[in-house]
Amino acid sequence: MGDERNTGTGAHPSLGRHSLTCLVTGASGYIGGRLVPELLAAGHRVRCLARTPGKLRDHPWAGQVEIVQGDVTDAASTAAAMDGVDVAYYLVHALGTGDDFERTDREAARVFGEQARRADVRRLVYLGGLTPASVPETELSAHLRSRAEVGRILMDSGVPTAVLRAAVIIGSGSASFEMLRYLTERLPVMVTPRWVHTRIQPIAVRDVLRILVGCAGLPPDVNRAFDIGGPEVLTYLEMMRRYAVVAELPRRLILPVPVLTPGLSSHWVGLVTPVPASIARPLTESLRHEVVCQERDIEKYVPNPPGHPLGFDRAVALALQRIREAQVVTRWSSASVPGAPSDPLPTDPDWAGGSLYTDLREREADVAPGALWQVIEAIGGENGWYSFPLAWAVRGRLDRLVGGVGLRRGRRDARLLRAGDSLDFWRVEEIERGRLLRLRAEMRLPGLAWLEMQVDGGEDGGPVRYRQRALFHPRGLLGHLYWWSVAPFHAIVFGGMARNIVKTAARARDEAREQERRRERTAAGTASAHPVTAEDSAVRTGRRRPPERS
């Protein structure tokens, strides 16, 4: 599979056979948004508690769940959401909301536990952080300390609780993974803090989801914390180096230094990565401590299916594949574009999935939508790319010089395209005939590139617009440099393309109109030069035979 979605819960055969009503808090968050479809796939009924229900409106599963408005810090709305619930998932935390996030987390956990007990909820499930057994809680980072406290509050609520304690979660969009990815991709040479030697037991998001679903069927006497992790224990340094191998990056030179404090580290991470400093600081502070599983008791209740838990390299490969094939689509597509590949979850943070450079062009077209589409679908090959032919030719030759396909492939058909067709140094990734054409670049680039052309409007005689987006997902520092080096030419290449596509459609319309006028004039002239007499009419209709010619 190319995504990080579970294909099964992996729960024990004796567990979870009956449909349960599950309450999910944090459904607009990273884990919660992925958990909901897994619970539905397992046959459970799902209710989502959200402060802003509108954020869940466009999820593909929104029509299959009950969405209620509320906040875990508000007892009344939490109580209403708990009514009739069997299992409640607590997947919220206040990390990144300010210096008093520990107090907010504490109050919210108390409210949640109290209302769950009053509603006679059968089980609570909480995803927390893995903490080192040898370090007193008072010496933990604020992030880990708060996670441990929330778990303790829920277990003391009187409702059987499963606290799952995880370290770094490997999955596209998770803060920990994105920090690892950016640090590795953007800096071939890194001066890093001492925490790069900290031992960590990462876990794939796929395994986290599998265990979360399996916990819905835990026996009622289970009220405890479980350590969950992947099969490997690695230092952060090893994780960066192995990430580089999986991502096919050159070997990274990493130079640990002792002078970077957690505060300085968070600013450094914030500079190099898009992870906000408010989130980067508690994460980097947590890396001071070794986070390794002390037990694997959860496997007694939620056994591992074949191939699980996933190893680090496989988890990274799945995450990168999701980014490459789906994360970009989150930036371009919307619910109004049917047929597009499934979006990465809109619950991911704005900075998740990597930098994405976009060149957007829009023009109004005084033509019928079909006429504009004909020009779009005919692009490339002998028809060219409607702008600066020399630039396209040079780019094609350069691509061939470095071993790429260049412009030599042309088109399969001069007028029609289908998904999977090669088109010069592009490939048709998606086509919604009459509306959308999306091309993926197959030229040699330090990143991933797409070109999207779309026909908008035209309903009920309304205005028609041509919409064009060129997108580039850079790979490492070289990718960023590449984008900015070619950016000055975008107005000529992409601006000219948008302008000339609309002009070509208008010219074809004018030519069609002129041909029609010529046909009308020719028909009128023929009729004037040869008037039809009554006798001719009789002959043509067969009422009289034509005269004999001598």
Side-chain angles (χ1 to χ4, degrees):
M1 290 184 62
D3 62 19
E4 298 158 78
R5 189 181 182 277
N6 259 340
T7 55
T9 66
H12 191 277
S14 64
L15 302 178
R17 286 181 174 176
H18 303 293
S19 178
L20 303 172
T21 298
C22 300
L23 175 68
V24 177
T25 62
S28 60
Y30 174 67
I31 292 293
R34 285 164 169 75
L35 176 62
V36 170
E38 298 299 330
L39 291 170
L40 291 171
H44 300 309
R45 297 178 295 274
V46 178
R47 180 182 299 161
C48 298
L49 175 65
R51 283 182 296 179
T52 310
K55 290 183 177 180
L56 305 180
R57 181 189 58 212
D58 293 330
H59 283 62
W61 41 258
Q64 304 173 58
V65 304
E66 179 187 359
I67 301 175
V68 297
Q69 186 172 17
D71 192 306
V72 291
T73 61
D74 176 63
S77 61
T78 302
M82 292 281 188
D83 185 37
V85 166
D86 298 304
V87 180
Y89 287 88
Y90 191 77
L91 303 173
V92 295
H93 59 81
L95 178 64
T97 61
D99 294 336
D100 62 345
F101 76 88
E102 287 185 85
R103 179 184 59 80
T104 303
D105 274 341
R106 184 182 307 118
E107 293 176 357
R110 285 174 178 163
V111 168
F112 197 78
E114 289 173 0
Q115 298 309 316
R117 185 184 68 253
R118 292 177 180 177
D120 200 24
V121 172
R122 293 163 50 184
R123 169 156 304 282
L124 300 180
V125 183
Y126 169 59
L127 179 62
L130 188 57
T131 56
S134 59
V135 178
E137 191 170 304
T138 55
E139 296 180 16
L140 294 175
S141 68
H143 172 221
L144 288 181
R145 186 170 60 241
S146 178
R147 292 296 185 93
E149 183 182 22
V150 167
R152 191 170 55 253
I153 291 171
L154 294 177
M155 285 191 291
D156 292 342
S157 66
V159 180
T161 300
V163 174
L164 303 178
R165 309 194 310 167
V168 172
I169 296 177
I170 304 298
S172 59
S174 80
S176 297
F177 176 71
E178 295 300 329
M179 191 173 83
L180 168 69
R181 188 170 73 85
Y182 271 91
L183 290 176
T184 309
E185 287 192 357
R186 289 197 168 177
L187 298 177
V189 179
M190 285 178 277
V191 177
T192 59
R194 285 179 296 180
W195 48 253
V196 296
H197 291 297
T198 300
R199 295 172 73 240
I200 301 164
Q201 192 162 355
I203 182 171
V205 67
R206 179 178 297 206
D207 286 311
V208 173
L209 295 172
R210 175 178 59 83
I211 296 170
L212 282 168
V213 175
C215 283
L218 289 176
D221 60 342
V222 175
N223 184 52
R224 54 163 292 186
F226 295 94
D227 293 352
I228 61 173
E232 300 165 278
V233 177
L234 305 166
T235 66
Y236 206 87
L237 178 63
E238 290 171 330
M239 288 168 60
M240 287 192 288
R241 285 178 172 164
R242 285 177 58 172
Y243 176 95
V245 172
V246 175
E248 299 181 350
L249 299 172
R251 182 177 175 83
R252 270 32 194 164
L253 179 61
I254 301 171
L255 307 172
V257 295
V259 295
L260 288 179
T261 65
L264 289 175
S265 292
S266 65
H267 289 297
W268 171 67
V269 170
L271 178 65
V272 176
T273 82
V275 179
S278 60
I279 295 177
R281 176 154 190 166
L283 292 178
T284 54
E285 287 180 341
S286 299
L287 292 173
R288 291 180 299 161
H289 308 296
E290 182 176 280
V291 279
V292 177
C293 294
Q294 301 299 310
E295 44 82 18
R296 305 193 73 99
D297 294 348
I298 191 62
E299 296 175 8
K300 300 175 185 176
Y301 303 98
V302 188
N304 293 322
H308 288 262
L310 295 177
F312 177 81
D313 293 350
R314 177 62 176 156
V316 168
L318 287 170
L320 288 177
Q321 189 168 344
R322 182 177 179 88
I323 290 169
R324 289 167 180 164
E325 295 184 355
Q327 183 60 38
V328 174
V329 182
T330 281
R331 305 281 184 136
W332 335 337
S333 66
S334 66
S336 63
V337 183
S342 33
D343 295 343
L345 299 178
T347 57
D348 290 348
D350 292 340
W351 43 263
S355 300
L356 185 71
Y357 293 114
T358 305
D359 182 278
L360 174 64
R361 310 280 168 170
E362 292 190 18
R363 297 187 71 87
E364 189 163 327
D366 185 21
V367 297
L372 182 58
W373 175 254
Q374 286 181 355
V375 177
I376 293 172
E377 193 172 2
I379 199 168
E382 294 298 322
N383 297 321
W385 292 86
Y386 300 109
S387 72
F388 204 177
L390 178 61
W392 287 96
V394 169
R395 185 65 185 87
R397 291 191 180 96
L398 289 175
D399 192 53
R400 293 188 63 178
L401 285 175
V402 296
V405 296
L407 291 173
R408 60 191 174 191
R409 296 190 300 184
R411 298 174 51 110
R412 175 189 60 84
D413 183 286
R415 295 182 302 107
L416 299 176
L417 292 173
R418 63 187 182 195
D421 274 359
S422 60
L423 180 59
D424 294 331
F425 46 43
W426 304 88
R427 186 168 298 277
V428 180
E429 183 175 82
E430 184 65 40
I431 181 168
E432 183 191 335
R433 190 152 279 106
R435 182 175 176 84
L436 173 71
L437 175 63
R438 183 163 56 247
L439 307 175
R440 179 194 290 267
E442 291 190 342
M443 65 194 82
R444 293 296 182 93
L445 289 169
L448 299 167
W450 291 263
L451 178 62
E452 184 186 61
M453 290 161 277
Q454 185 171 331
V455 179
D456 283 337
E459 298 87 359
D460 302 323
V464 177
R465 293 193 67 81
Y466 171 70
R467 195 163 189 257
Q468 172 185 296
R469 284 186 284 188
L471 301 106
F472 184 65
H473 181 47
R475 182 179 172 192
L477 183 60
L478 184 60
H480 294 271
L481 295 175
Y482 171 81
W483 173 266
W484 290 113
S485 68
V486 299
F489 303 100
H490 288 172
I492 300 175
V493 176
F494 294 130
M497 179 187 297
R499 184 171 56 253
N500 291 331
I501 283 177
V502 172
K503 284 184 177 180
T504 301
R507 186 164 56 247
R509 175 208 59 199
D510 293 341
E511 290 175 356
R513 288 176 177 174
E514 180 60 27
Q515 289 177 359
E516 180 62 26
R517 283 194 291 267
R518 288 175 182 173
R519 284 194 295 268
E520 290 175 354
R521 286 197 298 267
T522 299
T526 301
S528 175
H530 304 283
V532 180
T533 65
E535 183 175 325
D536 289 334
S537 177
V539 169
R540 291 178 184 177
T541 58
R543 291 193 299 270
R544 286 188 53 187
R545 292 176 57 83
E548 296 277 343
R549 298 293 184 182
S550 59

